């Protein structure tokens, strides 16, 4: 470690900023946020600094302006002035930061993730500020906004917890249990009252945790297409009930010690019937566990998510749905074939090619429309019938079709064909599930990868 990390309490303390431009304004803003009394020395100020509650010295820098300050920041575009500030501050043993001149600094201003009262500071010792910023962006994305509210709540209850548990080990156990409880779940929903009630119940010895169920969309396969909310749910879950379409790389993002229950169809095995899946979800949530039902794509697009929500509601289980990127959106983006496009398609239809028991109840002929993109899920087996019906409904055999197998996954394959040759293409290429059929004139925009 090169520098000693330290957080400064600047509330009510004098800080000098030398410079009155945009760079100085960024520093002034941060200092005011930290409660500092800011004195700005600069012959002129940008409009933002001029309008802020600072003490302005309309002058060039002179060492006397360092009198009584705890920290100095040089933010001018004149290297000579910056050097003078650093030299004068060092002579007076005042910490000094010179923007973009690491060699002149005795103090570095880090990149910050602010979840007040939690503050995370990242520094590269001035060697790779862009990398430090990138790390900050990752943390910004991964640390939920409610983390600050959780820390503040814990702070408010510190005294009560200390009065309840005299031994340090007991207190620590309590705080650990709290972090695994539903308190954060309530804060994530923005319900501070429920979070406080939950904490109070825990404090009074009620350890019976209410389980919950989240139906989480895992997206099409590429783990980078998971939403932040999905990731957070995966990392909070005790049990993950997943189906065959969920990519292994997505499952790897879950908590290592979670229980994984596969309910999807595997080669040679039957999938778990829907009612049995619902029974598993209800059983686990009622046992006080945090259950994530992880589904490919979006839970509410051909995912039977609605049935699982109803099953949870019937048992009074707290249920939430976290959307995911559905196959049509993902395949469209990957192949750069838009689902709608001015002049080619002013509507789109997501439809399943999977037959219900008792026969095909989709009116394919009615779906044979111009100016429309059809995204057919689970359409491989019925592709010949679907193409015949669409052509009988009026679509030309030359209507372009793009078949996307394993969209967004490393093993992705695409086949550009037309309605007249659809079944033939699928048969010859031995296209396998999961695959999506995109049908309509928007497919003319498709360009083979070079
Ligand atoms: C049971 S449905 C589930 C759909 C999912 N809920 C969604 O929103 O994408 C399964 C079908 O979705 C389509 N599908 C899912 N993931 C896909 C992918 N990565 N590439 C192409 N099609 C996919 C296939 O048609 C597959 O047979």
């Amino acid at each position: 470690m090169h520098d000693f990390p330290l957080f400064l309490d600047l509330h009510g303390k004098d800080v000098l900023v030398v410079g009155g431009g945009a760079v100085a304004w960024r520093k002034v803003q941060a200092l005011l946020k930290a409660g500092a009394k800011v004195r700005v020395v600069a012959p002129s100020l940008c409009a933002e600094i001029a309008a802020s509650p600072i003490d302005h010295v309309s002058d060039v820098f002179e060492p006397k302006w360092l009198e009584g300050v705890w920290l100095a920041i040089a933010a001018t575009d004149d290297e000579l002035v910056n050097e003078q500030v650093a030299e004068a501050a060092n002579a007076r043993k005042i910490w000094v930061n010179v923007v973009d001149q690491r060699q002149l600094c005795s103090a570095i201003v880090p990149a910050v993730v602010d979840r007040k009262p939690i503050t995370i500071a990242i520094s590269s010792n001035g060697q790779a500020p862009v990398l430090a910023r990138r790390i900050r962006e990752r943390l910004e994305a991964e640390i939920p906004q409610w983390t600050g509210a959780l820390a503040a709540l814990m702070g408010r209850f510190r005294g009560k917890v200390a009065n309840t548990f005299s031994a340090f080990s007991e207190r620590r156990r309590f705080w650990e249990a709290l972090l695994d409880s539903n308190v954060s779940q309530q804060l994530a929903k923005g319900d501070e009252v429920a979070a406080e009630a939950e904490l109070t119940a825990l404090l009074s010895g009620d350890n019976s945790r209410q389980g919950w169920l989240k139906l989480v969309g895992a997206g099409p396969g590429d783990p980078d297409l998971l939403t932040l909310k999905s990731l957070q749910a995966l990392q909070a879950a005790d049990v993950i009930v997943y189906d065959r379409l969920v990519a292994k790389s997505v499952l790897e993002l879950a908590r290592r010690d979670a229980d994984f229950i596969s309910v999807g169809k595997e080669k040679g095995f039957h999938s778990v019937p829907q009612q049995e899946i619902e029974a598993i979800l209800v059983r686990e949530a009622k046992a006080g566990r945090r259950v994530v039902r992880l589904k490919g794509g979006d839970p509410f697009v051909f995912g039977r998510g609605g049935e699982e929500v109803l099953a949870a509601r019937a048992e009074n289980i707290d249920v939430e749905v976290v959307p995911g990127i559905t196959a049509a959106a993902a395949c469209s983006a990957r192949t750069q074939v838009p689902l709608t496009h001015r002049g080619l398609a002013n509507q789109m239809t997501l439809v399943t090619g999977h037959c219900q028991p008792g026969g095909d109840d989709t009116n394919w002929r009615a779906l044979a429309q111009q100016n429309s993109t059809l995204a057919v899920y689970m359409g491989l087996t019925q592709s010949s019938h679907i193409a015949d019906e669409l052509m009988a409904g009026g679509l030309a055999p030359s209507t372009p079709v793009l078949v996307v197998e394993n969209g967004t996954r490393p093993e992705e394959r695409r086949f550009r064909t037309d309605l007249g040759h659809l079944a033939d293409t699928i048969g010859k290429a031995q296209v396998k599930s999961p695959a999506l059929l995109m049908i309509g004139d928007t497919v003319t925009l498709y360009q083979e990868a070079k």
Side-chain angles (χ1 to χ4, degrees):
M1 187 167 71
H2 185 276
D3 298 316
F4 181 71
L6 186 73
F7 288 93
L8 302 178
D9 177 2
L10 291 177
H11 282 92
K13 297 197 172 69
D14 290 307
V15 176
L16 180 75
V17 175
V18 181
V23 179
W25 167 232
R26 282 207 299 276
K27 301 296 171 196
V28 167
Q29 267 180 303
L31 289 166
L32 289 174
K33 218 171 144 194
K37 275 169 66 186
V38 183
R39 180 189 306 161
V40 180
V41 174
S44 63
L45 299 180
C46 65
E48 291 86 354
I49 300 185
S52 61
I54 50 113
D55 183 15
H56 181 207
V57 178
S58 177
D59 201 350
V60 291
F61 171 75
E62 282 183 52
K64 67 177 180 191
W65 297 120
L66 284 165
E67 201 54 52
V69 308
W70 293 67
L71 172 72
I73 296 184
T76 78
D77 51 12
D78 185 330
E79 289 193 6
L80 209 63
V81 175
N82 290 345
E83 270 172 36
Q84 283 169 5
V85 177
E87 202 177 305
N90 285 331
R92 286 162 181 74
K93 297 198 170 98
I94 293 169
W95 296 109
V96 63
N97 172 261
V98 182
V99 178
D100 286 340
Q101 282 177 270
R102 171 66 187 98
Q103 72 286 3
L104 296 179
C105 295
S106 59
I108 288 183
V109 181
V112 165
V113 179
D114 186 3
R115 296 285 184 279
K116 194 178 167 199
I118 300 277
T119 311
I120 302 166
I122 305 134
S123 163
S124 64
N125 181 28
Q127 304 202 21
V130 175
L131 177 60
R133 264 205 298 279
R134 194 55 80 80
I135 294 169
R136 187 198 63 187
E137 281 159 18
R138 284 202 81 111
L139 291 172
E140 279 286 4
E142 277 181 26
I143 298 178
Q145 289 296 333
W146 49 260
T147 306
L150 177 62
L153 182 66
M154 291 169 82
R156 285 202 297 282
F157 275 76
R158 270 178 80 85
K160 270 195 186 157
V161 172
N163 290 339
T164 311
F165 305 106
S166 51
F168 172 74
S169 58
E170 280 181 328
R171 286 203 293 277
R172 211 187 62 190
R173 254 201 311 279
F174 171 80
W175 289 124
E176 292 281 357
L178 176 106
L179 291 180
D180 288 333
S181 75
N182 280 339
V183 167
S184 39
Q185 172 75 6
Q186 303 294 2
L187 289 172
K189 287 191 209 155
D191 194 342
E192 294 220 9
V193 176
E196 203 161 316
E198 188 102 20
L199 193 157
T200 309
L202 266 182
L203 201 52
S204 62
D206 178 3
N207 285 325
S208 60
R209 192 173 68 188
Q210 282 282 306
W212 48 248
L213 170 65
K214 288 189 189 192
L215 271 57
V216 173
D222 176 355
D224 284 351
L225 290 176
L226 213 57
T227 66
L228 290 177
K229 226 174 180 179
S230 301
L231 183 65
Q232 285 158 11
L234 272 181
Q235 290 175 350
D238 303 313
V239 191
I240 292 160
V241 182
Y242 65 98
D243 63 29
R244 184 184 65 98
L245 269 187
V246 174
K248 203 164 163 274
S249 48
V250 171
L251 287 174
E252 278 166 3
L253 297 171
R255 245 177 63 191
R256 295 264 168 240
D257 58 340
D259 286 340
F260 292 82
I261 303 177
S262 163
V263 291
K265 208 188 251 176
E266 307 261 4
K267 241 193 176 147
F269 294 90
H270 286 297
S271 56
V272 179
Q274 182 62 24
Q275 277 185 339
E276 213 171 295
I277 296 176
E278 288 162 24
I280 294 172
L281 301 178
V282 166
R283 181 191 71 209
E284 295 293 328
K286 281 196 135 181
R289 307 183 83 193
R290 295 167 293 195
V291 185
V292 159
R293 170 73 175 109
L294 194 59
K295 291 165 169 292
D298 182 273
F300 275 0
V301 180
F302 308 124
R304 305 193 74 171
E307 290 155 66
E308 292 167 11
V309 166
L310 293 180
R313 277 196 212 154
E315 297 286 340
N316 272 328
I317 290 165
D318 185 9
V319 59
E320 188 184 334
V321 181
V322 181
I325 295 182
T326 190
C331 293
S332 151
R334 278 285 298 181
T335 58
Q336 299 187 0
V337 171
L339 292 168
T340 66
H341 188 84
R342 207 171 265 219
L344 294 178
N346 57 15
Q347 59 174 332
M348 60 179 178
T349 306
L350 310 189
V351 60
T352 171
H354 183 71
C355 284
Q356 299 302 317
D360 183 10
D361 52 11
T362 305
N363 185 351
W364 293 101
R365 294 185 189 197
L367 292 176
Q369 293 179 35
Q370 304 299 325
N371 255 315
S372 174
T373 307
L374 261 183
V376 186
Y377 291 64
M378 296 170 276
L380 290 180
T381 322
Q382 294 291 316
S383 58
S384 171
H385 168 68
I386 293 168
D388 286 348
E389 285 295 297
L390 289 173
M391 289 187 286
L395 285 187
S398 60
T399 304
V401 181
L402 187 64
V403 181
V404 186
E405 178 192 88
N406 276 308
T408 80
R409 299 172 185 228
E411 60 273 33
E412 179 182 296
R413 295 197 299 162
R414 306 152 178 191
F415 304 94
R416 168 73 165 81
T417 180
D418 58 34
L419 266 190
H421 298 89
L422 177 59
D424 201 31
T425 306
I426 288 174
K428 277 199 181 122
Q430 299 193 2
V431 180
K432 301 238 163 13
S433 177
L436 188 84
L437 316 180
M438 299 172 75
I439 304 170
D441 286 342
T442 48
V443 173
T444 55
L445 301 177
Y446 178 66
Q447 274 190 337
E448 301 278 349
K450 295 203 176 73

